[in-house]
Amino acid sequence: MGAGAAERAYLSSFTVQDVDVVEKVALPLCGVNNCDAFVLGRYSPSYNPTYYRIGVVAGAGRGDIYLRAQRSDGTSLVSDIDTGLPAADGAQVMLRVEFQGVNPTVIRARAWLAGTGEPSTWLLNTTDGNSAEQTAGMVGVQLQNEDTGAGHAFQVASWQATGTAIPVSVAPNPSGTAHWLYVVDDGTVYVYDIDNNHALVKQFPIPEAGKRGIAFAPSRGLLYVSECGTSNCAGSHGSLLAYDLVHDVVAWIANYTFGVDQLAVTPDGATIYMPHGADASDGQTSILDASDGKPTGTITTGTNGHNTIVSLDGTQVYLTGYTVSNYGYVRVVSPATNQVTLSAGPTINGVRPFTVNGKHTLMFTTSTKTCGFQVLSLTTGQVLYTVPFGGSCAWTASSAPSHGISLSPDEKRVYVMDAPLDQLEVYDVSGLPASAPSFVAAIPLSSLTGRESPCQTYCEREGWVLNDLSGRYVYVGDTGDVVSTSTLTVVTTLPALQNTRQVVEIDWLNGTPNGSSTRFGLGRVTS
């Protein structure tokens, strides 16, 4: 484990009140501060989870291993207890922890070296009545390296929990063919059945706050949610949550020193491109391993990254932004080399939401303080057409009055937000690149007034636009509206979609995801 790092894991498919946990751990000896190996009990998942952590610690200035008992907020239940066991790098330690009863909870623990007899008495025997932990919760482990100057190796060799488990109730995934729309609000995912009048078929909590982007990898069954927490990232403290939709559990959460924004995952599910955010200052995008979220590289463009797309065939990555240097250009990156191969533009005023056709020859972009869109050639990098909207462009909710653009799957129409007029503009683009887009209709939408709720960061209602994969519907984030593409009218409103711009279609076959849109409405004509 890296210097100053910590890792936590918990069993999320059940809760338990009274439980006995026994683990065997190889405990390193930290040269600075302590190396800690905890058992977790009464774990309640959220962005700021509550739990007990009881474990063994070894570090500088102590010849013995100590027993430590704390709440999740760092409050000590008792002073550290000397176990009398000699501290050594890689010491094989057995730990037994019990949590019993509520109001108060009785907490007991003892430790001994592996291969020796278990003591009959408890080193730790205390009670605690803190309200957050007086209910059944999940159990798990936490390993923490407090040494800020060196990495140390931990190993949990065995772990067993004994108690009466209560399964966590989650609605099942579809057993046959289904097309579901996943709407991510802060803290909760809502799932709507596209083929069944958009009926709400499922919802589940996620330990997340300050959503910034989503992506899905069908091959892994993982829904990724980037988040900033309770304050804007501003180039730091970003996180990435990976939720296993097949098994309905949190797979992992990765925390970073850099900020996060709208990510993109390659079609093979191997790599994530994570921009550091429009409010960062480093002009960088991190390359992450999609299996665990760990950084593997960095791309520097000079523009603070915001929205990111990978082409349908996985041969191109598009990095965009609207702050710092050269933000008028889209950087086209080859995933094979992670080098910029083309700079397309300049756009009117940076790049806000955008989309790409299936053959990745055309890009459709929106810009800051601009009502309308542009069409760029991804062959030459030139701007082909600029399409301004008529009417007022006065908009104070955000700096992006056209914050949403989606290309129909058949690539005949493009749908664009016109927030100042609370409408969705529709243009015929079937003649591209030879002829300019032509106006089709303006669809009245629900008002964008107010702010998203619940929401921790970037809560302005400014809109988002996504076509479903069949081409029947267009979803408009922050309004909740569902537009029929055949009648060009709003046919229903999804309450959860009124409070988010994070939405993606995921298709199922016999209990397994077999396809998805991205968060962006990409064209699907590939031949």
Side-chain angles (χ1 to χ4, degrees), residues 9 23 46-47 67 77 130 170 221 259 285 317 319 335 350 373 421:
E23 76 168 4
S46 68
Y47 181 74
L67 194 63
L77 303 181
N130 192 58
V170 181
T285 293
V317 181
L319 307 182
F373 66 99
L421 300 182

Side-chain angles (χ1 to χ4, degrees), residues 12-360:
S12 59
S13 58
F14 66 87
T15 62
V16 61
Q17 176 184 291
D18 298 343
V19 64
D20 177 275
V21 181
V22 180
E23 76 168 4
K24 178 182 178 181
V25 61
L27 183 66
L29 179 60
C30 277
V32 177
N33 299 319
N34 292 297
C35 285
D36 315 328
F38 292 108
V39 165
L40 305 183
R42 305 286 174 89
Y43 189 96
S44 178
S46 68
Y47 181 74
N48 290 306
T50 56
Y51 53 89
Y52 291 120
R53 57 186 183 221
I54 314 298
V56 287
V57 303
R62 288 177 166 178
D64 290 342
I65 295 169
Y66 279 68
L67 194 63
R68 178 170 291 176
Q70 296 177 325
R71 299 191 203 116
S72 50
D73 62 3
T75 300
S76 295
L77 303 181
V78 297
S79 298
D80 287 358
I81 301 170
D82 190 340
T83 66
L85 306 176
D89 195 41
Q92 301 291 310
V93 182
M94 302 295 298
L95 175 66
R96 182 184 293 274
V97 180
E98 286 188 356
F99 302 96
Q100 301 288 330
V102 293
N103 298 313
T105 298
V106 177
I107 304 167
R108 304 185 183 99
R110 56 191 175 219
W112 65 101
L113 294 180
T116 66
E118 179 178 354
S120 59
T121 57
W122 298 103
L123 275 179
L124 171 70
N125 192 343
T126 191
T127 62
D128 184 68
N130 192 58
S131 59
E133 289 83 11
Q134 304 311 302
T135 185
M138 299 165 184
V139 289
V141 298
Q142 179 173 309
L143 307 175
Q144 186 167 351
N145 176 16
E146 298 179 18
D147 188 338
T148 57
H152 294 279
F154 293 78
Q155 182 183 19
V156 178
S158 63
W159 192 94
Q160 178 177 298
T162 304
T164 302
I166 304 169
V168 174
S169 177
V170 181
N173 291 317
S175 57
T177 299
H179 307 93
W180 282 4
L181 187 75
Y182 286 72
V183 178
V184 180
D185 285 9
D186 270 329
T188 306
V189 178
Y190 299 86
V191 187
Y192 297 90
D193 188 339
I194 296 173
D195 301 325
N196 186 26
N197 297 316
H198 293 92
L200 179 65
V201 293
K202 187 172 184 172
Q203 70 182 69
F204 52 89
I206 53 174
E208 168 277 337
K211 58 192 181 301
R212 292 303 293 140
I214 61 173
F216 182 69
S219 62
R220 296 187 182 277
L222 293 181
L223 175 67
Y224 301 99
V225 183
S226 57
E227 54 181 316
C228 286
T230 57
S231 63
N232 293 359
C233 275
S236 66
H237 72 264
S239 298
L240 180 62
L241 179 149
Y243 190 92
D244 182 342
L245 292 181
V246 176
H247 301 99
D248 278 305
V249 295
V250 175
W252 45 262
I253 300 173
N255 299 310
Y256 306 113
T257 57
F258 49 83
V260 296
D261 215 309
Q262 176 54 53
L263 64 153
V265 60
T266 53
D268 62 4
T271 304
I272 289 170
Y273 290 85
M274 178 66 77
H276 290 189
D279 57 359
S281 59
D282 57 10
Q284 293 184 338
T285 293
S286 284
I287 306 166
L288 310 177
D289 185 330
S291 69
D292 55 17
K294 292 182 179 179
T296 61
T298 302
I299 300 171
T300 301
T301 65
T303 301
N304 289 333
H306 180 43
N307 290 317
T308 313
I309 292 176
V310 177
S311 62
L312 292 181
D313 64 3
T315 62
Q316 294 184 346
V317 181
Y318 310 103
L319 307 182
T320 69
Y322 60 95
T323 57
V324 193
S325 64
N326 296 317
Y327 58 75
Y329 290 87
V330 176
R331 275 32 174 253
V332 183
V333 172
S334 167
T337 62
N338 288 318
Q339 299 296 311
V340 175
T341 60
L342 177 71
S343 292
T347 60
I348 295 173
N349 190 4
V351 182
R352 304 306 284 268
F354 71 103
T355 187
V356 179
N357 69 344
K359 296 179 183 177
H360 49 78

